[in-house]
Amino acid sequence: MAVGKEIRTKIASIKNTQKITRAMEMVAASKMRKTKDRMQATRPYSIKIGQIIKHLAQANPEYKHTFLVPREVKRVGVIVVSSDRGLCGGLNSNLFRKTLAELVQWENSNIEVDICTIGSKGFGFFSNLKVNLVGQVSKLGDTPHLHDIVGIIKIMLDAYEAGTIDQLYVVSNEFVNTMTQRPTIEQLLPVVACELDENLGGHWDYIYEPDAKEVLDHLLTRFIESKVYQGLVENNACEQAARMVAMKSASDNAGNLIGELQLIYNKARQAAITQEISEIVAGAAAV
Amino acid sequence: MTMTVHVDIVSAEKEIFSGLAEMIFAPAEMGELGISPRHAPLITKLNPGEVRVKVSESEIYPFYISGGLLEVQPHLVTILADTAVRAIDIDEAAVLEAKVKAEEALSDTSGKIDYATAQSQLQQAVMQLRTLDRLRKRGG
């Protein structure tokens, strides 16, 4: 029977698409578990180093590191952490929208911007805009290593030390839970200490070995690196979670579509049969 | 009761140790340090070597670190290790191999190798082996 041939092929093709999206959903779900573990594993380090920085901000060091001293802002550096692949819902576009809003604000107050991107989506997006792109890394895979991103962090830190940029920000997605990822922008340089530890009142300073400059240099560089790395692994977890959700809804939509098409197909088929019967009956009556 | 201080040892990958201790020994750049509770605030870089955490007279936990930072507050000691492993988990065969490789690289006079990298690799391997040796002497 030739009825609804197009509908049947359409249903078959949607079924294939659904198989693919379902497979991607399952892959993303299992990857999400791993990336989430990795994200949690890096947390203790960044929490501890954050604490040390907090203590440091309360000390009264004889040596003031450039990373700790705010100065007038003429040019800022931004590190944008994005994913390498698409098909993860609005994850990257939300992040870019947030970044763009900030860029516009800076432009209105005559502040120039240097951008470094991590991940190919960010590079693709910002290379099409009229922004000053100073560095990029991409294709880091699901297990990014610290040494992969040290290079572009160094570009920014050197620029800060040389006085080219006066502030450094990192933009990345924060993992709230599987359903929610929040784009966040965080100031890295100059280092801002948030709430203070009351246990450490009074006037005191650390003993530095071998000397303050060397130790602080090392500590602050580590701090920035760990912050960006944390952002990267968190963004990875977000990517997998967002992909899982996006693929789940794609599979569901495909299911709905198949149902509707099936209904149309059945109706058409039934109509054709009814018509054939009535033709036969009419033919028999005529005899 | 003896005085104790809270100790945290973390590496970039995970938390290694967290708890109270009577004393901590760490390989600082300027020489080995012993930290008791209520030590004055201190920040120093660490060399590759063995960190020992003395929880009580009979309990001493050794860890191997490949460098890092040590922060001391009167009530808190934090060690940020580049990589830290419990000394028991060091695989001797792998360490020996690393040592041989580093030595080979150092004796390679063709000038192609990165001298500083090889040197630090050798140092790390030697320190790991020393940690293992001490561990063995202490109790097999």
Side-chain angles (χ1 to χ4, degrees):
Chain A
M1 198 170 57
V3 172
K5 180 104 182 357
E6 303 93 342
I7 300 181
R8 253 183 300 154
T9 41
K10 191 126 201 195
I11 289 177
S13 106
I14 293 174
K15 271 189 180 153
N16 285 337
T17 313
Q18 193 187 27
K19 273 181 209 154
I20 295 170
T21 54
R22 185 152 294 154
M24 286 182 78
E25 179 196 333
M26 284 190 275
V27 170
S30 94
K31 277 191 178 170
M32 187 189 73
R33 215 165 306 132
K34 275 185 237 157
T35 48
K36 241 168 95 179
D37 289 346
R38 203 165 299 125
M39 176 182 86
Q40 265 142 15
T42 55
R43 267 205 183 141
Y45 189 90
S46 62
I47 290 172
K48 289 293 166 215
I49 200 162
Q51 262 176 14
I52 296 183
I53 297 290
K54 216 157 74 182
H55 293 163
L56 194 70
Q58 276 173 283
N60 301 282
E62 80 269 36
Y63 167 73
K64 276 276 180 196
H65 198 277
T66 42
F67 286 0
L68 296 171
V69 187
R71 54 194 188 210
E72 200 196 336
V73 184
K74 292 194 205 73
R75 195 181 187 93
V76 296
V78 183
I79 299 178
V80 181
V81 184
S82 63
S83 72
D84 270 332
R85 289 151 197 242
L87 291 182
C88 46
L91 186 78
N92 286 317
S93 32
N94 286 343
L95 188 77
F96 296 154
R97 199 175 313 135
K98 174 128 186 154
T99 318
L100 280 183
E102 292 290 330
L103 290 183
V104 169
Q105 270 190 18
W106 280 319
E107 199 179 309
N108 289 341
S109 38
N110 278 328
I111 296 169
E112 287 176 281
V113 183
D114 281 346
I115 290 186
C116 267
T117 60
I118 301 178
S120 19
K121 285 287 160 192
F123 179 63
F125 182 81
F126 286 102
S127 56
N128 285 332
L129 292 176
K130 277 190 184 162
V131 290
N132 191 11
L133 209 57
V134 291
Q136 70 101 11
V137 276
S138 49
K139 305 273 180 306
L140 296 179
D142 295 321
T143 45
H145 294 286
L146 188 59
H147 55 80
D148 295 327
I149 55 167
V150 165
I152 68 157
I153 295 172
K154 187 145 173 46
I155 293 177
M156 284 301 188
L157 293 186
D158 286 350
Y160 185 85
E161 247 169 297
T164 325
I165 58 171
D166 308 298
Q167 274 182 332
L168 178 62
Y169 290 88
V170 63
V171 193
S172 67
N173 280 296
E174 183 194 349
F175 189 93
V176 183
N177 55 41
T178 314
M179 301 302 289
T180 330
Q181 295 86 33
R182 192 184 304 139
T184 50
I185 181 159
E186 194 179 354
Q187 180 178 336
L188 295 180
L189 287 178
V191 174
V192 276
C194 26
E195 75 273 31
L196 304 174
D197 193 336
E198 311 87 45
N199 293 337
L200 303 171
H203 189 93
W204 59 281
D205 190 18
Y206 281 112
I207 305 166
Y208 300 94
E209 281 186 16
D211 67 277
K213 186 179 179 327
E214 203 174 314
V215 174
L216 287 184
D217 249 355
H218 190 76
L219 176 68
L220 290 167
T221 315
R222 271 292 144 75
F223 174 66
I224 304 293
E225 282 170 4
S226 98
K227 276 271 182 190
V228 179
Y229 185 69
Q230 177 75 20
L232 178 60
V233 289
E234 198 151 332
N235 196 69
N236 260 350
C238 288
E239 179 193 347
Q240 299 304 342
R243 179 166 301 132
M244 190 182 85
V245 173
M247 287 302 120
K248 183 165 173 38
S249 73
S251 306
D252 292 350
N253 288 345
N256 291 343
L257 213 55
I258 290 171
E260 280 167 30
L261 284 175
Q262 193 73 52
L263 207 62
I264 296 173
Y265 170 73
N266 288 348
K267 272 187 187 157
R269 182 171 149 272
Q270 194 57 54
I273 292 169
T274 314
Q275 194 190 356
E276 212 165 311
I277 288 174
S278 63
E279 273 166 16
I280 293 170
V281 171
V287 172
Chain B
M1 204 193 107
T2 42
M3 274 207 297
T4 53
V5 57
H6 192 87
V7 184
D8 287 308
I9 302 178
V10 292
S11 77
E13 285 90 33
K14 59 179 176 198
E15 186 167 59
I16 310 284
F17 178 89
S18 178
L20 294 172
E22 285 179 10
M23 194 137 176
I24 303 98
F25 303 92
E29 265 204 346
M30 311 283 282
E32 174 124 348
L33 280 177
I35 314 278
S36 301
R38 304 250 190 113
H39 191 285
L42 167 88
I43 290 189
T44 179
K45 290 212 272 187
L46 296 178
N47 277 343
E50 185 193 41
V51 172
R52 276 167 295 147
V53 179
K54 187 173 152 197
V55 173
S56 68
E57 213 46 67
S58 55
E59 266 185 288
I60 299 178
Y61 296 113
F63 301 93
Y64 167 77
I65 63 161
S66 67
L69 281 161
L70 167 77
E71 189 226 12
V72 181
Q73 287 288 347
H75 58 289
L76 182 72
V77 175
T78 312
I79 293 177
L80 299 170
D82 292 345
T83 55
V85 273
R86 279 177 183 273
I88 309 155
D89 299 337
I90 301 176
D91 182 352
E92 189 168 21
V95 175
L96 276 173
E97 194 188 334
K99 186 183 168 202
V100 171
K101 268 203 191 132
E103 277 170 349
E104 265 172 22
L106 280 176
S107 58
D108 180 3
T109 46
S110 60
K112 279 180 202 149
I113 55 120
D114 182 354
Y115 210 77
T117 317
Q119 184 100 46
S120 83
Q121 277 170 355
L122 180 62
Q123 195 189 4
Q124 284 184 16
V126 169
M127 288 317 296
Q128 285 188 344
L129 284 174
R130 198 171 294 166
T131 309
L132 267 183
D133 266 356
R134 269 198 228 163
L135 195 65
R136 239 183 245 128
K137 266 184 219 137
R138 215 170 287 143

